[in-house]
Amino acid sequence: MIRQRPVELLAPARNVECAMAAVDHGADAVYIGAPRFGARASAGNSVEDIARLVEYAHTFRVKVYVTVNTILKDEELPETERLVWALYRVGVDALIVQDMALLELDLPPIPLHASTQMSITNSSGVDFAMGAGMERSVLARELSLKEIGAACSRGSEIETFIHGALCVCYSGQCLMSSLIGGRSGNRGRCAQPCRLPYKLLNAKDEDMLKGKDAGQYLLSPKDMNTLSILPQLIDAGVVSYKIEGRMKRPEYVAVVVDAYRRAIDSYLAGDYNVPEEDLANIEQIFNR
C-alpha cells in the first residue's frame, strides 16, 4: 500500500495537458475548470476531457478537483446540478465551490471545498463552512501566518495559496473588471484591468510620476512566492498547498510543481533545502 503524504501539493491545470504535466512532476492533486461556472471562464474543459484526466491521475494516486466556483443565476441551477452529477460519475474527487445555492440542489455524495471566492478570512468563517458541509476551506490570500494557524486549529482541512498571482482586490472580490469592461471577475470573466499601466494624476491632472516612473503598473501586486516560509506553513497545520495559475502553460506548471515538490519533501525529510537553481527557475518562469 502506498503511504499518503502528510501534506498535499495542489497544482493548477488549464487543460488536460497542463494537468498531466503537474502529475508527472510531483503534484498530489490538480484542480481544473468544468465546462461552465468556473472562476476562469476561458479555462473550461469538457466532462469527457476531465474523465480522461481522472483516469490518468488516479493511476498515480493523484486527486482531481473541479472548480464550480462562480456565483450562479436562478436559471443556471438545473444545469449546474446536472453538471455536478456528470462530474461525480466520472470519478472527480471533490468540487471547489462558491455559491451556497449549490447546497440546496440534489447533489451526489461528492466532497465540497469552500473556494477562496467565499472570502474565508478567519476561524469563524472556517467554522461556518464546516457547518455547511464543506470538507475543506480555501483561505483568503491576505492572511498572516498567525491567522492561518488559527484557521487550522478548527478541525477542518485547510488549503492555502503558496505561489502565483495576487489580486489587488481583497480576496478576489473584484468589481473593477465589470465597471471598466463589462466583464465580471465574479462570473469567471475578469479582464485583468489591474495588470495595465496607469498614470497617477493630481487635482490639476498633472502626472505625479515623471520620467521612468510614469505609466507604471500601479495596481498589479508582485506575485506570491512562499518557498522561504514553507516550513512555517507546514508547522501551522495547512493540509493543502495551492499553486495559482489556471491560465498558465504546461511548462510553467511543470517547473513550479517540481520546485515545490522537492522543497516540501526536503522539509518532511528533516533537511529543508531550496537550491539556488530552483529560485532562479522560479524567477525566470515568472518573466515568460
Side-chain angles (χ1 to χ4, degrees):
M1 179 179 179
I2 298 176
R3 187 171 70 88
Q4 295 294 315
R5 292 188 177 96
V7 298
E8 175 185 270
L9 178 58
L10 176 57
R14 179 173 187 166
N15 51 35
V16 174
E17 182 184 8
C18 290
M20 289 181 174
V23 173
D24 294 343
H25 286 81
D28 298 306
V30 297
Y31 64 105
I32 192 169
R36 292 193 64 191
F37 312 126
R40 299 289 186 275
S42 59
N45 295 269
S46 68
V47 173
E48 291 76 18
D49 280 346
I50 293 173
R52 184 160 60 93
L53 169 60
V54 168
E55 181 179 6
Y56 182 81
H58 284 184
T59 301
F60 300 96
R61 302 288 183 90
V62 173
K63 294 183 178 181
V64 176
Y65 307 144
V66 175
T67 59
V68 187
N69 61 336
T70 60
I71 52 178
L72 300 167
K73 299 180 180 180
D74 278 342
E75 60 269 23
E76 294 170 339
L77 293 177
E79 181 184 352
T80 305
E81 184 177 291
R82 291 192 294 271
L83 173 62
V84 172
W85 274 98
L87 293 170
Y88 171 72
R89 292 187 183 104
V90 300
V92 166
D93 295 286
L95 300 180
I96 303 171
V97 302
Q98 176 190 188
D99 199 317
M100 299 298 283
L102 278 165
L103 301 180
E104 297 299 313
L105 302 180
D106 178 23
L107 297 183
I110 188 169
L112 302 178
H113 296 174
S115 171
T116 190
Q117 295 298 115
M118 288 182 65
S119 297
I120 298 177
T121 58
N122 49 52
S123 55
S124 293
V126 174
D127 290 343
F128 172 80
M130 187 165 47
M134 305 289 171
E135 293 193 5
R136 178 182 294 182
S137 293
V138 187
L139 299 181
R141 304 177 209 195
E142 295 80 12
L143 301 191
S144 67
L145 278 168
K146 181 179 179 180
E147 291 167 330
I148 291 172
C152 290
S153 71
R154 307 311 295 177
S156 176
E157 289 188 3
I158 296 298
E159 178 178 308
T160 190
F161 282 90
I162 58 169
H163 199 91
L166 291 169
C167 182
V168 68
C169 293
Y170 195 82
S171 196
Q173 304 303 314
C174 179
L175 297 177
M176 187 176 180
S177 180
S178 298
L179 293 172
I180 292 178
R183 292 171 52 183
S184 172
N186 298 311
R187 293 277 293 169
R189 301 175 63 242
C190 180
Q192 296 191 320
C194 58
R195 307 303 184 202
L196 301 176
Y198 290 92
K199 293 181 179 179
L200 184 62
L201 305 178
N202 61 20
K204 298 179 181 180
D205 283 341
E206 298 170 336
D207 193 347
M208 298 177 66
L209 300 175
K210 299 179 180 179
K212 66 177 182 179
D213 293 326
Q216 295 295 303
Y217 296 88
L218 303 179
L219 300 179
S220 184
K222 186 177 180 180
D223 283 0
M224 177 189 295
N225 180 343
T226 64
L227 282 171
S228 63
I229 63 167
L230 201 56
Q232 291 97 308
L233 289 170
I234 295 175
D235 290 343
V238 174
V239 168
S240 183
Y241 300 80
K242 188 171 195 170
I243 298 167
E244 184 276 339
R246 282 201 295 122
M247 300 301 295
K248 299 293 188 179
R249 299 191 304 273
E251 296 85 354
Y252 175 94
V253 174
V255 168
V256 178
V257 168
D258 178 70
Y260 276 92
R261 173 78 280 148
R262 287 186 285 120
I264 290 173
D265 288 349
S266 71
Y267 179 72
L268 296 178
D271 180 25
Y272 188 61
N273 179 38
V274 182
E276 289 296 325
E277 59 266 26
D278 284 349
L279 296 174
N281 286 339
I282 291 291
E283 290 301 321
Q284 183 180 15
I285 203 77
F286 268 149
N287 295 326
R288 290 185 179 179

